[in-house]
């Protein structure tokens, strides 16, 4: 079932390792088939070097396992809520990548200090509020998704494809699993640069709104100019 998507999600999970975002069995990537309403996600606690496409777990949006012998990631309920809340999202990543997690543990959003940030994130990367004791002791994983959605507010999730969960770590998303990992790798780089920038200049003001808009919209949206357009095939 969903063989191609299981292979894509496996490759995206392995990209977390090659991108330096995870230790041991930390982290997870999922992808969704919107037409069938089915999600493919990494199994819980399986070493990356042992994983195969057939180990990927398929569930529906209610979390019922449809395919796979292994247990799905313990973060499944967070992924599912993000898919239900953000219809344009096709892939979700959670990691404990070092620098993004530093900002999450500090409970601080990552400010838009430069154009590298602006190319991917249209504003400061938000941090959630702390979960209450009742939320932690209740449906903790689901409530993690609740505070992410709350932190995004009315922002377009595709122009802000990440959030930091206070005291926990980053969640990122994209149009598919590979795109979500791409955003997670860029987020880690942006988080590292922001930390070093703030250590040199604690009062750094960041980019202007004009520069933020210029860099973000040159790569995103209908008027994007970055990259190569594909010309029409010439007729023989």
């Amino acid at each position: 079932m969903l063989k191609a998507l299981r292979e894509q999600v496996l490759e995206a999970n392995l990209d977390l390792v090659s991108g330096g975002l995870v230790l041991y069995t930390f982290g997870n990537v999922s992808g969704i088939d919107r037409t069938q309403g089915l999600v493919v996600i990494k199994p819980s606690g399986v070493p990356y070097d042992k994983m195969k496409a057939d180990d990927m777990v398929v569930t529906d949006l209610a979390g019922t396992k449809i395919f796979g012998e292994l247990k799905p990631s313990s973060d499944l309920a967070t992924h599912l809520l993000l898919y239900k809340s953000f219809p344009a999202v096709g892939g979700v990543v959670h990691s404990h990548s070092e620098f993004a997690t530093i900002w999450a543990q500090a409970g601080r959003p990552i400010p838009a200090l430069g154009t590298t940030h602006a190319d991917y994130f249209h504003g400061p990367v938000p941090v959630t509020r702390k979960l209450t004791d009742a939320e932690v002791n209740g449906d903790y994983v689901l409530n993690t998704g609740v505070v992410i959605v709350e932190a995004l507010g009315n922002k377009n999730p595709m122009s802000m494809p990440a959030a930091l969960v206070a005291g926990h770590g980053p969640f990122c998303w994209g149009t598919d699993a590979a795109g979500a990992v791409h955003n997670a790798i860029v987020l880690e780089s942006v988080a590292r640069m922001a930390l070093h920038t703030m250590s040199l200049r604690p009062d750094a003001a960041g980019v202007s709104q004009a520069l933020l808009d210029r860099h973000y919209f040159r790569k995103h949206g209908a008027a994007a100019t970055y990259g190569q357009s594909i010309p029409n095939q010439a007729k023989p």
Side-chain angles (χ1 to χ4, degrees):
M1 177 176 286
L2 300 182
K3 183 175 186 294
L5 184 57
R6 283 188 280 119
E7 291 173 349
Q8 292 165 20
V9 170
L10 171 64
E11 289 304 312
N13 275 283
L14 297 179
D15 286 344
L16 287 184
V17 179
S18 61
L21 298 191
V22 297
L23 296 171
Y24 300 114
T25 61
F26 294 11
N28 42 74
V29 184
S30 68
I32 187 170
D33 182 319
R34 291 282 182 184
T35 60
Q36 297 187 59
L38 296 177
V39 170
V40 175
I41 194 166
K42 172 183 174 284
S44 178
V46 176
Y48 286 90
D49 61 353
K50 305 293 185 185
M51 286 194 308
K52 306 180 296 297
D54 282 346
D55 294 328
M56 301 299 107
V57 183
V58 181
T59 79
D60 62 20
L61 284 167
T64 302
K65 186 163 69 172
I66 304 298
F67 174 91
E69 298 297 322
L70 301 174
K71 294 191 301 182
S73 165
S74 58
D75 291 306
L76 174 64
T78 305
H79 288 241
L80 296 179
L81 184 62
L82 295 178
Y83 286 126
K84 287 185 278 190
S85 300
F86 305 146
V89 167
V92 174
V93 174
H94 172 50
S95 78
H96 290 256
S97 60
E98 182 176 2
F99 287 91
T101 300
I102 288 170
W103 286 90
Q105 291 181 165
R108 292 188 58 182
I110 303 174
L113 297 175
T115 58
T116 308
H117 182 122
D119 280 341
Y120 283 85
F121 306 102
H122 194 216
V125 177
V127 63
T128 71
R129 61 172 174 81
K130 293 181 179 180
L131 276 74
T132 66
D133 289 351
E135 288 169 327
V136 171
N137 293 324
D139 198 338
Y140 169 63
V141 181
L142 177 65
N143 289 331
T144 298
V146 169
V147 295
I148 292 172
V149 173
E150 182 183 285
L152 263 286
N154 61 3
K155 296 182 181 69
N156 178 350
M158 305 315 288
S159 66
M160 183 52 64
L164 310 175
V165 179
H168 188 168
F171 279 80
C172 300
W173 45 86
T175 55
D176 56 19
V181 173
H182 184 100
N183 289 335
I185 291 171
V186 173
L187 177 69
E188 179 65 1
S189 179
V190 164
R192 180 173 62 250
M193 288 188 286
L195 182 64
H196 289 314
T197 300
M198 298 299 287
S199 70
L200 289 173
R201 185 75 183 270
D203 62 345
V207 295
S208 67
Q209 188 66 46
L211 190 56
L212 180 74
D213 290 347
R214 176 74 178 186
H215 269 261
Y216 183 80
F217 288 114
R218 74 174 185 155
K219 294 188 77 170
H220 306 275
T225 59
Y226 182 85
Q228 302 298 316
S229 59
I230 301 174
N232 293 328
Q233 290 282 342
K235 293 182 179 180

